[in-house]
Amino acid sequence: MAEITSIEPQIKDKTRCNVYVDGRFYCGIKLEVAVKYHLKAGMHIEKERLDEIQLETEKSQAMDKAMTHLSASMKTRKQISDFLSKKGYTEAVINYVIERLEYYKLVDDYAYCRAYVQSVKGKGKRALEADLLKRGADKKAVQTALDETEEDCDAAAAVLEKYLRGKACDKNTLYKGFKYLLSKGYGYDTVKTALERFSYEDY
């Protein structure tokens, strides 16, 4: 059984407090909830019970915060989870909120990946994959979205043309352009096609 070692008012919201268990921050709750359940320093309690208390009293507020966070732009499941975790919500509350958001199709990693791939220009599949994984998108959703997308040779050629602007179109420069496109995450075949538009032989 764990021990509540401290309950401290939050600096930014005096109506809420931070609960520390075994010397470490565990969750945030309303002061009135702490009073209602007689929570205090030195009290021994199962962590699961704290999870139940927060879920019972704060799931609606957590949902509202998540909805507000989503109103600015689409988010991945992990981004929502990280956001709520930083707000001091327990795993039980976070799972509840994400389950509700997924049920209403407000959080959908596949839809997020598709939208991201379609909106970002000038990057190949490898770079897009890295971006999406960095944002915490589900690996299967990332792969499915990329499998459904063809790399845009016109876009790669446009990136290369911009890179070559003002430079001599010789073998050395084109080789640097070749490496530049690869660094942008484009696949070899796409890079090769883009280079052929500049009348350069195969690598």
Side-chain angles (χ1 to χ4, degrees):
M1 185 172 289
E3 179 184 352
I4 297 178
T5 48
S6 178
I7 297 180
E8 302 176 3
Q10 293 184 358
I11 296 176
K12 293 184 178 180
D13 187 348
K14 299 300 183 182
T15 68
R16 295 177 61 78
C17 60
N18 293 328
V19 179
Y20 293 81
V21 174
D22 295 333
R24 302 180 66 180
F25 172 77
Y26 188 72
C27 68
I29 57 175
K30 294 179 182 178
L31 281 170
E32 62 186 63
V33 172
V35 172
K36 176 182 177 181
Y37 289 94
H38 308 292
L39 302 180
K40 58 184 179 181
M43 178 180 180
H44 288 84
I45 188 172
E46 296 288 353
K47 290 183 179 180
E48 289 78 8
R49 179 54 182 154
L50 284 174
D51 292 351
E52 290 173 358
I53 290 172
Q54 194 190 60
L55 179 60
E56 176 186 341
T57 61
E58 304 211 353
K59 61 185 180 183
S60 294
Q61 184 184 56
M63 177 66 79
D64 289 342
K65 287 183 180 296
M67 291 289 289
T68 299
H69 191 49
L70 277 168
S71 65
S73 63
M74 294 177 69
K75 302 290 189 300
T76 65
R77 192 180 194 277
K78 187 174 187 303
Q79 285 174 329
I80 291 294
S81 177
D82 290 345
F83 170 76
L84 292 176
S85 180
K86 289 179 181 178
K87 293 294 182 182
Y89 292 106
T90 63
E91 186 176 349
V93 174
I94 293 171
N95 289 340
Y96 169 83
V97 171
I98 290 178
E99 181 181 319
R100 292 287 86 198
L101 292 175
E102 289 183 329
Y103 177 79
Y104 291 114
K105 303 298 183 183
L106 295 174
V107 169
D108 183 330
D109 276 17
Y110 167 70
Y112 179 96
C113 293
R114 284 286 297 171
Y116 186 83
V117 168
Q118 292 171 4
S119 65
V120 175
K121 306 300 179 184
K123 288 188 176 183
K125 284 188 176 183
R126 288 187 293 106
L128 292 171
E129 179 182 18
D131 287 350
L132 289 168
L133 292 177
K134 185 177 181 180
R135 287 164 170 75
D138 177 77
K139 290 183 179 181
K140 289 184 178 179
V142 172
Q143 195 58 56
T144 299
L146 291 176
D147 286 345
E148 295 174 352
T149 303
E150 292 292 333
E151 280 195 325
D152 190 342
C153 289
D154 291 335
V159 171
L160 180 60
E161 182 179 9
K162 184 176 180 180
Y163 174 81
L164 293 174
R165 197 169 297 159
K167 299 182 178 70
C169 194
D170 55 25
K171 180 177 180 179
N172 184 56
T173 302
L174 284 173
Y175 180 66
K176 290 180 179 179
F178 166 80
K179 292 194 295 183
Y180 180 73
L181 286 182
L182 289 178
S183 74
K184 287 293 184 179
Y186 287 106
Y188 177 81
D189 289 341
T190 302
V191 174
K192 178 174 176 292
T193 300
L195 284 169
E196 286 174 348
R197 298 188 184 186
F198 291 83
S199 300
Y200 186 62
E201 63 187 12
D202 293 347
Y203 282 94

